[in-house]
Amino acid sequence: MKTTRRRHLAAATAVAAGIAFVATGAAAQTMTMAVGAPVTSLDPHYHQLSPNNAIADTIFDRLINEDHRSRNQPGLATEWRAVAPTVWEFRLRPNVRFHNGNAFTADDVAFTLQRLPNVPNSPSSFAVYFRPIARIEIVDPLTIRFHTHQPYPLLPLDMTNVRIVDKETVENATTADFNDVRAAQGTGPYRVVTHRNGDRIELERNDTYWGERPGFQRVSYRMITNDAARTAALLAGDVEFIDQVPTTDLAKLRADNRVRLSETLGLRLIFLGLDHQRAPGENSPFVTDNNGQPLGRNPLRDVRVRRALNMAIDRNAIVSRVMEGAAAPAGQFLPEGVFGHVPGLGAPAYDPDGARRLLAEAGYPQGFRIQLNSPNDRYINDSRISQAIGQMWTRIGVRTAVEAQPWATFIGRASRIEYSTFLIGWGSNPDGSHPLRNIIGTYSRERGWGASNRGRYSNPQVDALLEQSLTELDNEKRERLLIDAMRMAMEDVAVIPLHIQANIWAMRRNLEHTARNDELTRAQDVRPAAR
Amino acid sequence: MTVYLVRRLLQALLVVLAMSVIVFVGVYAIGDPVEILISPDADQLERERAVVALGLDLPLWQQYLVFLTKALQGDLGNSFVFNEPALKLILQRMPATLELAFGAMFLSILVGLPLGLYAGLRPDSPVSKGIMAGSILGFSLPTFWVGLMLIMVFAVQLGWLPSTGRGDTASLLGLQWSFLTIDGLSHMAMPALNLALFKISLVIRLTRAGVRETMLMDYVKFARAKGLSPARVTFVHVFKNILIPVVTVVGLELGSTIAFSVVTESVFAWPGMGKLIIDSINVLDRPVIVAYLMIIVLMFITINLIVDLTYSLLDPRVRLESKGT
């Protein structure tokens, strides 16, 4: 009796195990995903570029990870705090091993940070994250301290941009060694098996991963840059997961029951830059009177004109018609829930009559002529958005010509401040200081501010608040400073925010994905769907 | 013959030089690679560092001299984007493009010649008229549209063929080739057909025109009068003579197929050189653009040479030496 029961039990367990095995067996097959932007290198410190960071996240770990809403989560560090105004202490996760079996310790962290400024020929290096650090102190194998030149509240944010490599493997390695897989040994959820430059990366599960168990035995990470081809590959079943779903395919994919979408509002604002460089009494390059003659003044330096141009844009129309709903109208850089978001500052209301009144008040009752410059291959629907704005501005009497060019040509001229007004985008780090410092802050080589301030906006009051925030270690006070600075800049219409893009992925029904607001497409965010 | 070859090689060298100057000036005129490659949040110091790292801080003529000195030692520079030798990047992707181009060429001859022959021999039959009408479509439909339609029909709707990529490869002469595996061939089918469509039409039209012209020649009439079988007249007397224009055009087309299969390669995500060059142009990766165009110039000159040599084999009247003088 007893034996039979036990036997039954054993049989039942075996069946259950069998089912479980079949279930995981099916899930454990190769998952094939296709991304729209090519990875240029497996070296995580060679090129600061989203596609590279996404694959680096799959292979390596950071001290502080960011969850899908860009909130800090323990990564290779379990806790961190400022132990003194200029000293940050990180406690490291014990018992973590690199893919090649080497143990992870504070030595690897110190080595990684020192490597950042020393990657030869890097077209966009990670050196900025090392620069605030004066000295690195290894307290014990699992405790490390960073001594900074001055109080530096952004150090944890910086650490979310640095992937940790193995000192022993990388000490004498070059970027090419990473691309040949030899040096690409991280602690991350997947390990690299093969890498074919610009074509595909084959990954395999790291069975000893310290975090959540990755969902697939093998992952094939392919690059299909053509939008239509990527969607077709998904529909044909050649790949099971794609990113950067083109807005023109959204309606079709939403209706297709073989496919599911995952989407979230991102951190990328599309906005218009304005010429603040030319003095109020100077001509702006692409502004003329209605007969095409020079105006003799720069109307964009008059806040009433900037407000008028801002109010004349029907953001809801752009979002629903041009963007097919894959964006949200915006009145500031960051979406709600991100550090530094200005509460209550929504997108400006569409008010063409008010805009005309403001123009008349500013001395342009008949309007003027302007050229809006725009890239045509960079942001989602960029040139079409510009066309729409051109029509809206023309409606309030500002006759607008739109010139759209490839990014390669556009960006050089924009950086030489050759335009009067231009459409451009900004993908923020999840901290209010990031857009303020790069886009709004006064251009200054010494301070490293305003490098992307291509309208050369300058407001001493905003600068003062920003300056104060950069050394404020109390996060509450710091956020208040950032909010005040951003509110001030937006009321002054430093730039004209348009909308924040949604990030959209599409997959076969048997998969699930956690949509990230930082646009990164990572294998570990995809899992077999729960039945 | 030797004089002729030497002369052709000298010409090639000149063209390569001129081309490299044009690319240098052209890329410089378009924009600044650093602006495109650098992370948007890099500060001024970091931007300056990147400019120096890529050697773009020197005046243009000095940059060119540096390039030339290195090129003479066989180093065409490192890609700005990948930090790997430009030549290596291109050669890595060459097999994919070569097999696709030869596949397309093979298809165009296999399909184009018989259809063209038929249309030339029976110009008035409805089938011939159908062939000619079809060839107009082959000429005029845009490649990217046809490519996407092929994917929609054969991959998405019918599910017969894979939509993109290169599939399994097998090794031959140390390189990876798709045409050696069944899976690879099924991946190749659509892009090769897509690429071949234009060329098939071209071959059909050339062959048909050639046949129609040759059929009226005296020697054909004479052969017929001699009582030779129609098959012998067609395949020996006519066929050999119409091959000369076909060989010329197919040869030149092969060159442009290898060099500019950009559209097909991006639609089918075929990891060949065409995709590399268009990506490189988008980010102004000058070393890759220069190296690529140098290879292409050399290739065109070689193909032209081979075409000339084939001429002299097909047509005993052509003498290469006489061209040189």
Side-chain angles (χ1 to χ4, degrees), chain A residues 270-272 274 306-319 329-330 347-353 355 372 385-386 388-396 421 423 493 495-499:
Chain A
I270 303 299
F271 66 94
L272 302 180
L274 303 167
R306 298 202 294 272
R307 283 194 184 129
L309 294 177
N310 196 7
M311 287 155 65
I313 296 171
D314 186 353
R315 291 170 173 78
N316 289 321
I318 294 177
V319 165
Y350 172 52
D351 180 6
D353 296 327
L372 171 59
I385 298 167
S386 298
I389 290 170
Q391 291 174 19
M392 292 166 186
W393 281 356
T394 304
R395 235 173 277 161
I396 61 159
T421 169
L423 179 135
V493 200
V495 299
I496 297 181
L498 297 174
H499 55 253

Side-chain angles (χ1 to χ4, degrees), chain A residues 124-125 131 238 434 445 449, chain B residues 39 41 43-44 46 48 163:
Chain A
S124 177
S125 87
R131 223 184 281 151
D238 292 329
H434 191 251
R445 187 178 174 280
W449 288 13
Chain B
S39 166
D41 57 6
D43 61 13
Q44 289 87 342
E46 170 56 22
E48 285 161 23
S163 65

Side-chain angles (χ1 to χ4, degrees), chain A residues 38-41 46-49 117 119-129 131 175-176 179-180 196-200 222-226 228-229 232-236 238-239 252 258 377-378 407-409 411-412 415 426 429 434 437-438 443-445 447-452 454, chain B residues 29-54 78-84 88-89 92-93 144 148 151-152 155-157 159 161-169 176 187 263 266-271 275 279 281-284:
Chain A
V39 173
T40 65
S41 176
Y46 169 67
H47 195 174
Q48 169 71 300
L49 189 74
V119 180
N121 299 338
S122 163
S124 177
S125 87
F126 289 69
V128 281
Y129 306 121
R131 223 184 281 151
T175 297
N179 295 340
D180 295 341
R196 274 197 267 161
N197 216 333
D199 176 26
R200 65 178 61 180
R222 305 191 182 172
M223 298 149 219
I224 304 184
T225 46
N226 183 289
L234 176 76
L235 290 175
D238 292 329
V239 305
K252 191 176 70 192
R258 293 169 300 172
D377 57 357
R378 177 74 173 184
W407 177 253
T409 323
I411 187 60
S415 294
W426 180 258
N429 278 357
H434 191 251
R437 184 179 168 146
N438 287 288
Y443 182 89
S444 155
R445 187 178 174 280
R447 293 204 275 201
W449 288 13
S452 294
R454 298 191 173 90
Chain B
I30 294 175
D32 178 1
V34 172
E35 283 289 348
I36 297 165
L37 294 174
I38 200 137
S39 166
D41 57 6
D43 61 13
Q44 289 87 342
L45 279 179
E46 170 56 22
R47 279 162 205 261
E48 285 161 23
R49 188 209 56 78
V51 168
V52 175
L54 300 184
N78 274 15
S79 155
F80 293 159
V81 178
F82 299 105
N83 195 22
E84 304 229 9
K88 178 183 154 198
L89 281 173
Q92 263 175 357
R93 298 180 189 223
F144 75 90
L148 287 174
I151 293 179
M152 286 319 283
V156 179
Q157 300 296 334
L161 291 168
S163 65
T164 47
R166 216 181 153 195
D168 295 341
T169 52
Q176 295 294 318
H187 278 84
V263 175
S266 17
V267 169
F268 291 93
W270 190 263
K275 232 172 129 267
D279 291 344
I281 291 173
N282 280 334
V283 296
L284 300 181

Side-chain angles (χ1 to χ4, degrees), chain A residues 35-37 49-55 57 62 66-70 221 241 243-244 264-270 378-380 425-428 500-505 513-522 525:
Chain A
V35 295
L49 189 74
S50 290
N52 288 21
N53 291 341
I55 196 70
D57 258 5
R62 341 178 200 176
E66 283 174 324
D67 69 3
H68 63 289
R69 304 241 54 91
S70 293
Y221 196 89
F241 183 93
D243 69 355
Q244 298 181 21
T264 184
L265 210 55
L267 294 172
R268 186 178 298 279
L269 175 80
I270 303 299
R378 177 74 173 184
Y379 306 106
I380 302 173
W426 180 258
S428 285
I500 294 180
Q501 289 180 354
N503 306 332
I504 306 183
W505 292 265
H513 174 247
T514 315
R516 292 180 67 83
N517 66 2
D518 59 11
E519 300 180 6
L520 299 186
T521 302
R522 319 184 309 170
D525 300 323

